[in-house]
Amino acid sequence: MFLRFLKILLFLVSTSFSSILLAQIPLNFPAEFNSIQILPQKFEYTLLDSSSIKLGDIIIDSKTLNLNLELNPNNFNEGRFLFSWPAGLLKEGELLIFNNNGKSIFSRDISKEKIKIVSGEKNSNSLIRNEISLFTTEYLDEELIEEIKYLPFFKFCVVKKERITKIELCSSELYVSTENDKLRIKERKTNPQNEAKVIINGKEAGDQGIVFLNAENENLNFKAQSESGALLEIVTRLQHIHFNDVIITSNRNFIKLKASGSFPVNETGVKRLGPDSWEITLPIEFPVFYVQGEGGIPMRQEFNIKGPLPHEKLRSYAVGSPKTKTYSSEATIEGRLPKGATIKSKEDTSEVSLKNKQNFLWTLKKLNPSSWNHRNLTVLSGESEATIGYDIFRGYRNDFLIKSELLTPINLINLSMEFSSWLNDLSSGLSLKYLTAISKPPNITKYSNIDFSYIFRPSKGINFIDPSFFLGFSYKILQLNDSSFSLPGVLLGDKRKPTSYWYSMIADWYQWKLEYFIGQKVNSIDLKSIMLFEFTNFYSLTSNQYLNYSLGFLKYQIDSESESDSESALAKNQLMINLGWNRQF
């Protein structure tokens, strides 16, 4: 019975192991190399009338930009605000009320969970969005209600700000009126009326227009004003999208596009494949949809079909677990062709060789660092021909760091140089650091460190590309005056990108690291331990250079029989202030 159970178990394990080895991953038909012309994203607008404007697939009507005041039936000195605004652009951000001097007297953070979305007027165009956002505050204190009653006018704004984008939608001038012993918020009429107009990048534009965006660093500054004085201001830019796969459906009426990057604004007909990847089905006669630019601004994306499109039967597969990231200049994957198909390369950056009738080896050559590298092969089956593609990211393997370090209160100034190199398993790294004092207090004659470290990332990835927790082992050689110490140690830390708007303005990456070294007794100095904690910010200068600045804490645990001034001074808690520069290569 036991032997039978063991055989079954071995069979299941071997079957599972074989299935892992033979796992097949579909290779893409990249859109731009398979008869699809990807047209530039464009921002389009139409000033419909004196109060409304159409941006892409969104209608924004200033008449739906309203604020009402509702008094507490149990306490007429308290009231709450009821806001409404067009939802297409703003479903999160901040609500603000400004008095007649432009000073903010009320603010609330808003999110999708805090607001209610209702449908606007029906529209025959299925692409159009005209929903309304509703938000009701809690009952507010008497002081604010009394203040707003007697203001000559005020306005409210819905604002969303990010690092490089801004959306601001502001109402016309409002005031509080009393009708039948009830408070009403009304629009303040101005004379003469404002002119409904559009301003793009500082210049007045026509009532209808299109702005093509070709570069990811190209900003669009858009302002629109209604006749009532309501104002919309947008600062945005396009977001990169990679259309990495296209096929025609079996009935030849639709195309299916897979992409990574910014999502479509309307998720009808969209299938999410991952955190930043998706699939959309479009009619072949009208392959058009709206995609989110920076800040969620709708950008029109169109395609031009120039020839026959690939079908699923022509699909090839990568066998096993091919790498999508590497530190090397070359990478090789194994592929499998559909039956009866042949394959060839038309570029010197791809080299292909057949293992048998269906399996092939594909060598991706001349990979450029700090970028995604795209490589193509041509698959032929009968009269059908298609291009298959593969994308792989190559990171910088090496990192050189030089920095100055101040230890206080001992007033020791050090210069350190560190060289790090990452292995191609995308988990392991080695570093060598040398530190020496360039300005010492009188009681220290010599101070230097040599550190050798092994670093391990539990989650595989590329340095300065993928955030990760890390840990490792270190070995330190410390020279203090006439004594030399050999100290083993451990380290752990975390390296990530800032998530807040304000933090991302001063740092592109941040890292904290904790190191602990086991001590050693040399001569009359008993060095019990060394503990170091450092928090570092990295500000990007170029694609492979960073300015870094940090604060840290350094603690030497020393028992000295001689009680010399140098050891006792160093044993105090030391604050570290660092400024450095590092370059990847």
Side-chain angles (χ1 to χ4, degrees):
M1 185 69 182
F2 175 75
L3 289 175
R4 186 180 177 186
F5 173 77
L6 185 60
K7 286 180 180 179
I8 294 172
L9 181 62
L10 288 172
F11 173 76
L12 291 174
V13 170
S14 63
T15 303
S16 177
F17 184 67
S18 299
S19 66
I20 292 172
L21 289 177
L22 297 175
Q24 296 189 127
I25 300 171
L27 291 172
N28 291 323
F29 297 113
E32 58 191 312
F33 296 100
N34 284 282
S35 304
I36 294 281
Q37 180 185 6
I38 303 168
L39 300 177
Q41 290 181 30
K42 58 185 180 182
F43 174 85
E44 56 182 11
Y45 72 92
T46 302
L47 196 62
L48 299 175
D49 52 44
S50 61
S51 68
S52 59
I53 188 169
K54 178 175 171 284
L55 297 181
D57 66 332
I58 301 173
I59 291 180
I60 300 172
D61 190 342
S62 63
K63 293 177 182 176
T64 64
L65 193 62
N66 294 315
L67 172 61
N68 291 312
L69 177 62
E70 183 181 87
L71 296 180
N72 187 345
N74 298 318
N75 183 355
F76 289 120
N77 292 321
E78 292 181 345
R80 61 182 180 181
F81 293 127
L82 289 75
F83 295 90
S84 71
W85 68 90
L89 289 180
L90 289 156
K91 294 178 182 175
E92 57 186 355
E94 188 178 13
L95 268 170
L96 299 152
I97 295 179
F98 297 94
N99 65 16
N100 56 299
N101 293 318
K103 180 183 177 182
S104 173
I105 58 174
F106 169 88
S107 69
R108 285 293 183 277
D109 290 331
I110 53 172
S111 62
K112 294 177 182 178
E113 296 74 27
K114 294 180 180 179
I115 62 177
K116 180 181 179 181
I117 305 293
V118 297
S119 299
E121 293 183 5
K122 290 186 178 180
N123 194 290
S124 58
N125 188 339
S126 61
L127 292 178
I128 294 298
R129 291 180 293 156
N130 57 355
E131 299 97 341
I132 306 298
S133 291
L134 303 176
F135 178 78
T136 303
T137 68
E138 72 283 5
Y139 283 108
L140 305 168
D141 59 73
E142 178 182 349
E143 185 178 344
L144 178 61
I145 300 301
E146 283 299 310
E147 180 181 1
I148 207 167
K149 282 182 186 177
Y150 299 106
L151 287 175
F153 63 88
F154 57 92
K155 66 178 181 178
F156 79 91
C157 297
V158 195
V159 181
K160 180 183 176 183
K161 289 184 179 180
E162 296 178 348
R163 182 173 180 179
I164 55 175
T165 63
K166 180 179 78 169
I167 305 172
E168 186 169 339
L169 181 60
C170 293
S171 70
S172 56
E173 293 178 353
L174 307 170
Y175 71 99
V176 176
S177 172
T178 303
E179 292 182 0
N180 300 324
D181 296 327
K182 292 185 178 180
L183 297 179
R184 295 281 186 270
I185 294 180
K186 290 186 171 184
E187 182 180 300
R188 179 174 177 257
K189 302 293 185 181
T190 58
N191 193 21
Q193 290 282 79
N194 296 292
E195 179 188 357
K197 60 182 178 179
V198 170
I199 298 173
I200 298 177
N201 294 334
K203 296 181 180 179
E204 191 165 340
D207 292 350
Q208 184 175 1
I210 294 173
V211 181
F212 287 92
L213 297 172
N214 298 296
E216 291 180 48
N217 60 356
E218 181 182 350
N219 275 5
L220 169 70
N221 293 270
F222 178 90
K223 290 183 181 180
Q225 178 181 275
S226 72
E227 191 176 80
S228 66
L231 183 67
L232 170 66
E233 183 176 357
I234 294 170
V235 179
T236 188
R237 59 175 63 173
L238 64 81
Q239 283 203 67
H240 174 72
I241 305 176
H242 180 42
F243 294 98
N244 45 36
D245 189 67
V246 62
I247 61 166
I248 190 168
T249 57
S250 56
N251 61 14
R252 298 189 175 274
N253 292 328
F254 297 91
I255 62 171
K256 288 187 176 182
L257 281 161
K258 291 181 181 178
S260 57
S262 182
F263 276 83
V265 295
N266 191 339
E267 296 196 17
T268 303
V270 176
K271 180 181 178 182
R272 285 183 176 260
L273 304 176
D276 66 343
S277 58
W278 42 273
E279 179 185 84
I280 189 169
T281 301
L282 300 172
I284 197 167
E285 299 297 329
F286 188 61
V288 176
F289 71 101
Y290 288 91
V291 69
Q292 296 178 32
E294 288 284 357
I297 304 301
M299 301 289 179
R300 186 180 176 98
Q301 181 66 69
E302 297 183 62
F303 307 91
N304 182 20
I305 300 174
K306 301 187 295 181
L309 299 175
H311 48 82
E312 191 62 42
K313 291 181 180 179
L314 206 57
R315 178 83 65 187
S316 299
Y317 293 84
V319 178
S321 301
K323 284 186 176 179
T324 57
K325 294 178 182 178
T326 183
Y327 285 113
S328 299
S329 59
E330 287 189 4
T332 299
I333 67 170
E334 182 177 349
R336 185 171 178 82
L337 291 166
K339 288 184 179 180
T342 58
I343 195 165
K344 64 180 180 180
S345 173
K346 294 182 179 180
E347 53 189 32
D348 63 356
T349 54
S350 285
E351 187 177 286
V352 64
S353 60
L354 289 174
K355 290 183 68 178
N356 50 48
K357 287 185 178 181
Q358 277 190 273
N359 286 51
F360 62 92
L361 292 177
W362 184 1
T363 302
L364 316 169
K365 305 169 69 176
K366 301 180 182 179
L367 301 178
N368 296 317
S370 190
S371 64
W372 283 97
N373 293 262
H374 181 79
R375 299 292 181 264
N376 291 319
L377 290 176
T378 302
V379 178
L380 301 99
S381 179
E383 295 182 358
S384 299
E385 178 179 324
T387 298
I388 60 172
Y390 195 78
D391 295 298
I392 188 167
F393 186 91
R394 182 187 174 193
Y396 286 111
R397 180 190 298 272
N398 304 312
D399 192 347
F400 175 75
L401 166 66
I402 183 169
K403 67 179 180 180
S404 59
E405 174 184 278
L406 168 66
L407 296 183
T408 183
I410 197 174
N411 291 327
L412 183 66
I413 301 176
N414 302 313
L415 177 68
S416 73
M417 292 175 286
E418 183 175 358
F419 173 76
S420 302
S421 184
W422 291 92
L423 307 181
N424 212 33
D425 62 2
L426 305 185
S427 291
S428 306
L430 302 172
S431 73
L432 180 64
K433 177 181 177 181
Y434 175 71
L435 178 147
T436 186
I438 56 176
S439 178
K440 307 181 291 292
N443 51 14
I444 293 182
T445 57
K446 189 172 184 180
Y447 180 81
S448 66
N449 288 273
I450 297 177
D451 288 26
F452 178 79
S453 300
Y454 167 77
I455 304 166
F456 176 74
R457 301 165 51 116
S459 58
K460 292 187 176 184
I462 299 287
N463 187 34
F464 278 113
I465 296 296
D466 302 299
S468 177
F469 175 79
F470 59 89
L471 48 90
F473 302 97
S474 296
Y475 186 78
K476 179 189 288 288
I477 300 174
L478 168 65
Q479 184 71 42
L480 178 59
N481 295 338
D482 297 326
S483 301
S484 181
F485 300 85
S486 299
L487 312 170
V490 294
L491 64 88
L492 58 90
D494 196 31
K495 192 173 189 176
R496 303 198 173 269
K497 283 190 169 185
T499 55
S500 75
Y501 168 75
W502 294 110
Y503 195 6
S504 64
M505 296 292 288
I506 60 171
D508 294 280
W509 288 85
Y510 69 88
Q511 171 185 285
W512 65 263
K513 183 168 70 171
L514 177 66
E515 294 184 86
Y516 181 84
F517 294 92
I518 300 171
Q520 180 188 26
K521 185 174 182 179
V522 175
N523 301 328
S524 61
I525 304 175
D526 187 4
L527 178 57
K528 298 288 188 182
S529 65
I530 301 176
M531 187 175 70
L532 181 149
F533 177 82
E534 187 175 18
F535 189 93
T536 306
N537 291 310
F538 300 87
Y539 185 83
S540 177
L541 301 174
T542 66
S543 63
N544 67 330
Q545 296 184 67
Y546 292 87
L547 175 71
N548 57 75
Y549 52 99
S550 64
L551 286 175
F553 168 83
L554 179 63
K555 174 65 176 177
Y556 284 85
Q557 188 71 38
I558 299 176
D559 286 341
S560 176
E561 298 173 6
S562 62
E563 291 292 336
S564 68
D565 292 340
S566 59
E567 287 95 45
S568 61
L570 195 59
K572 295 179 180 178
N573 294 337
Q574 302 294 328
L575 174 67
M576 299 190 327
I577 302 173
N578 299 321
L579 179 65
W581 167 85
N582 63 297
R583 184 180 186 275
Q584 298 177 280
F585 60 97

